[in-house]
Amino acid sequence: MRWIPCALLLLIYPAIASAAATIAITFPVDNDYTNSQVVNGSFTGTTPATVDVNGVNATVNQAAMTFSATLTGAALLVEGSNTITATLTAVDGTDAKTIHATFDETDPAVTIAGVTPAPTDVNPNATYFKSVRVIGTAMDLNPIDSLTVRGVSGALPDPNNGGAYDRRAELNPGVNTITVRAIDAAGNAGSAEYVLTRRIVCQDPTYDPSATYTVDRNDDLPDADLSDDVCDVRKDLRPDPTDPNDPPFTPPRKKCSLRAAIQTANHHDGDDRILLSSGGLIRLNHQGAGEDAALTGDLDVTQNLRIFGNGRDTTLIDGSKLGDRVFDVRDGAELQLLHLALQGGHAPQPADPNDAGGGGCLRVSGGLHANSAAFLSCRSEGSGGAIALDEAKLTLRNSTLALNSAGRRGGAISALGSADPNDLVLSNVTLSRNKAKLAGGALDLGAGATAKLNNCTFANNGAKAGASLSTTDDGQLEISNSILGDQQLACDPPNSAGAVISMGGNVERGDSCLQPLATDQQNKDPLLDKLATNKASGGPPTHALKVGSPAIDLGGTGAVACEPLDARDTERRDWPRALPDGSSTSSPPFCDAGALELLGPVPAD
């Protein structure tokens, strides 16, 4: 055994037994941000007698060699920069540690506003856009550590620009509450909310039907009993559903036709809704023109009614065997048509030769509002091959009128009266291959009728005067971001002062329609592709733009913004809102003139 000299042992032992105490502050960290008045730390070496934090005695855990102090009184941290000093006093001396921390217990101040390129005329807090540009500020004493818009993280606010942020949020149909939440470096949270309604159907997002009728059969039988509010074409099976002669079936027997549903809705008080749930072809053949209760002939609508289809290419109401127009919307009633197509209606020759008659698909004395609809191959012996309006309201969005004809005026649409331009609005509408014998191959405005058109396309229409449109008897039209792609004399009368008012962003193949603005293009071939289905799942025909078309990026350059969607219900990709959710907005708000954005890959649904 080797012995260690006694003198050397005495030198080593005291060094271990009397090592100097050291102290550290573990929370908050030096130059960190805090909203807590608690200071925590640790120590090593000898057991301390006391730990003082800014004059407050800390609680010491000797076994864990930690301490904790809750600052109170004069030691409380104040907003802004603070010095925190912890002093350990031991039997053999002291050790002090000092850090600096910024104290902030104030929530970030957040502001929010929603911006869309084209708010609706009716309500600035409503939009047809699928997303909204959200701008505002998020400011605080501390830097903002995170900012979420509807729960989606993205770029932080710019502190050099007043804490400004610029983001995008997707919208759901109906009312949207958009919440912006900011969290600062100290963990404080502040938020703001913005409420915006996304309108996706016609003019009235508040339409609240009091009754709904579901069409489950595609024949044209009338309702069996008009004295009740039950849609049922079955005469023998209605009185007693427990009748043993009518045993239960799975699925139950189909009972509600479109004609019966409209008859029932006319009888029922209040606004109603009809669902064409099964889609397919509904062929009207219950002949008898001139009747006004939807029992025979055209479908008379006498109460406010909304009809939903399964899609413009899958739900088709055909009147080619009816010997009459398809719908007759009576004075005081408004009809909404969504996601369906009408075809083959034929308005008979009016008995009075002075009566323009008309409306091969629809005659409207009340109001018609259609979204994602098509009006095809209808004809009138009078005016309005597809639609005839008599001092009535009309709103068409994302729709097509094609292959219609009129024996007089307005191959697609004829409108009389209604001097308010907001009563006749066409957006993302294609008018193609319509013809009139006299004037207005596609559109005729007379007797003071006025209209607004935005992002519409006219092509291959024809008439003796005004291949695209005619404006007579104080008829007037405001047009923007549209294509007048018909022959050289597209308008009648040519250059009529004030009859056709350009709002910019238009392409005209000739020069008979517009008193042009700087953002219009006249005497230019719009380079339209043929009328075709330009959507993966089908749909009514539209005209795509060819590469090099002067309509590309022309829309939105005038006083009126483009429509948020094109005729395929697809967001116009040149718009900033087409960027991914949460991304910033910086690109110019230009789109393509006409009803269809430049077609690249065929868009999916």
Side-chain angles (χ1 to χ4, degrees):
M1 178 177 181
R2 181 176 178 182
W3 294 93
I4 300 174
C6 183
L8 182 58
L9 181 61
L10 291 174
L11 289 174
I12 295 174
Y13 178 76
I16 296 175
S18 60
T22 61
I23 187 172
I25 297 175
T26 58
F27 176 83
V29 179
D30 195 20
N31 293 316
D32 200 357
Y33 301 88
T34 181
N35 59 5
S36 173
Q37 297 285 354
V38 176
V39 178
N40 296 323
S42 62
F43 57 87
T44 60
T46 59
T47 302
T50 60
V51 176
D52 173 280
V53 181
N54 283 13
V56 174
N57 287 327
T59 300
V60 176
N61 185 328
Q62 295 183 358
M65 305 185 81
T66 60
F67 65 89
S68 180
T70 301
L71 305 183
T72 60
L76 284 172
L77 302 180
V78 297
E79 189 172 80
S81 181
N82 292 259
T83 299
I84 302 174
T85 301
T87 304
L88 179 149
T89 302
V91 294
D92 57 351
T94 61
D95 185 29
K97 295 298 179 185
T98 299
I99 67 166
H100 298 87
T102 300
F103 183 77
D104 179 17
E105 61 180 358
T106 304
D107 295 340
V110 180
T111 67
I112 180 174
V115 176
T116 57
T120 65
D121 295 332
V122 178
N123 182 355
N125 289 329
T127 183
Y128 291 99
F129 287 76
K130 288 184 175 180
S131 63
V132 61
R133 178 183 175 190
V134 180
I135 63 174
T137 58
M139 297 185 295
D140 193 70
L141 179 67
N142 297 331
I144 302 297
D145 264 6
S146 69
L147 180 82
T148 58
V149 177
R150 244 189 183 180
V152 178
S153 300
L156 296 177
D158 181 2
N160 298 318
N161 191 23
Y165 64 87
D166 186 343
R167 302 276 290 285
R168 184 154 297 281
E170 294 297 312
L171 299 177
N172 299 316
V175 177
N176 292 258
T177 299
I178 301 166
T179 301
V180 176
R181 179 179 173 85
I183 300 177
D184 68 14
N188 303 301
S191 63
E193 290 185 346
Y194 177 74
V195 178
L196 183 69
T197 299
R198 179 182 167 202
R199 300 170 58 184
I200 59 172
V201 284
C202 304
Q203 286 287 85
D204 185 8
T206 63
Y207 189 88
D208 186 16
S210 58
T212 297
Y213 306 100
T214 300
V215 172
D216 55 14
R217 57 191 299 160
N218 287 2
D219 57 13
D220 194 26
L221 292 176
D223 190 74
D225 184 358
L226 296 180
S227 66
D228 60 19
D229 292 330
V230 177
C231 178
D232 197 337
V233 303
R234 306 171 303 171
K235 293 182 179 180
D236 299 334
L237 304 181
R238 290 184 64 175
D240 184 3
T242 63
D243 191 319
N245 294 319
D246 185 21
F249 289 87
T250 304
R253 288 183 175 179
K254 297 177 180 180
K255 62 179 184 177
C256 187
S257 69
L258 174 59
R259 183 177 296 277
I262 289 176
Q263 289 178 292
T264 306
N266 287 339
H267 177 269
H268 179 259
D269 289 334
D271 301 344
D272 294 324
R273 175 175 61 181
I274 292 176
L275 303 180
L276 305 179
S277 58
S278 59
L281 173 65
I282 298 176
R283 189 181 297 280
L284 304 178
N285 54 18
H286 208 67
Q287 295 185 353
E291 186 272 345
D292 61 1
L295 178 62
T296 62
D298 56 24
L299 301 174
D300 302 286
V301 176
T302 62
Q303 300 267 11
N304 291 346
L305 181 62
R306 173 179 286 176
I307 301 179
F308 270 101
N310 268 352
R312 295 173 296 187
D313 55 325
T314 57
T315 303
L316 181 62
I317 302 173
D318 181 88
S320 60
K321 302 296 183 181
L322 191 60
D324 202 349
R325 63 180 59 87
V326 180
F327 283 98
D328 192 356
V329 185
R330 312 305 290 273
D331 189 21
E334 293 195 2
L335 174 64
Q336 299 182 8
L337 298 176
L338 308 171
H339 308 294
L340 53 79
L342 308 183
Q343 77 171 21
H346 178 200
Q349 179 72 42
D352 183 354
N354 296 318
D355 180 5
C361 288
L362 303 102
R363 179 172 63 182
V364 184
S365 298
L368 171 65
H369 309 297
N371 193 345
S372 298
F375 307 89
L376 310 171
S377 301
C378 290
R379 60 192 175 101
S380 168
E381 301 300 331
S383 296
I387 301 171
L389 307 167
D390 186 3
E391 296 186 0
K393 296 181 179 180
L394 173 67
T395 303
L396 298 181
R397 297 186 184 278
N398 309 334
S399 297
T400 297
L401 299 98
L403 303 167
N404 303 290
S405 63
R408 296 184 182 178
R409 309 178 70 92
I413 301 172
S414 173
L416 300 176
S418 188
D420 185 345
N422 292 312
D423 282 350
L424 273 69
V425 178
L426 276 63
S427 307
N428 281 333
V429 174
T430 298
L431 302 100
S432 179
R433 299 179 67 182
N434 304 288
K435 62 182 180 179
K437 186 175 182 180
L438 299 180
L443 174 63
D444 177 59
L445 301 176
T450 60
K452 286 184 177 180
L453 274 63
N454 191 33
N455 279 114
C456 293
T457 297
F458 292 78
N460 304 318
N461 302 290
K464 287 184 179 179
S468 294
L469 59 96
S470 59
T471 51
T472 58
D473 297 328
D474 298 324
Q476 190 174 89
L477 172 69
E478 292 183 8
I479 188 167
S480 55
N481 306 320
S482 294
I483 296 173
L484 293 164
D486 288 319
Q487 60 186 351
Q488 295 297 310
L489 294 179
C491 289
D492 172 54
N495 296 312
S496 55
V500 179
I501 302 172
S502 173
M503 304 300 289
N506 300 296
V507 177
E508 184 182 0
R509 190 164 189 168
D511 60 2
S512 70
C513 292
L514 304 178
Q515 299 292 331
L517 301 179
T519 56
D520 291 323
Q521 297 283 326
Q522 280 191 314
N523 294 303
K524 295 290 182 66
D525 185 344
L527 295 178
L528 298 176
D529 211 336
K530 63 182 179 181
L531 193 66
T533 297
N534 289 305
K535 188 175 181 181
S537 62
T542 50
H543 288 283
L545 300 177
K546 295 180 179 179
V547 175
S549 167
I552 297 171
D553 287 345
L554 184 66
T557 57
V560 179
C562 284
E563 294 300 310
L565 312 178
D566 73 358
R568 299 163 296 180
D569 298 323
T570 300
E571 282 198 313
R572 294 179 180 271
R573 61 178 167 221
D574 289 352
W575 282 93
R577 70 187 170 289
L579 296 172
D581 185 20
S583 61
S584 62
T585 302
S586 59
S587 58
F590 296 154
C591 67
D592 299 340
L596 205 68
E597 195 76 1
L598 176 64
L599 182 64
V602 176
D605 292 334

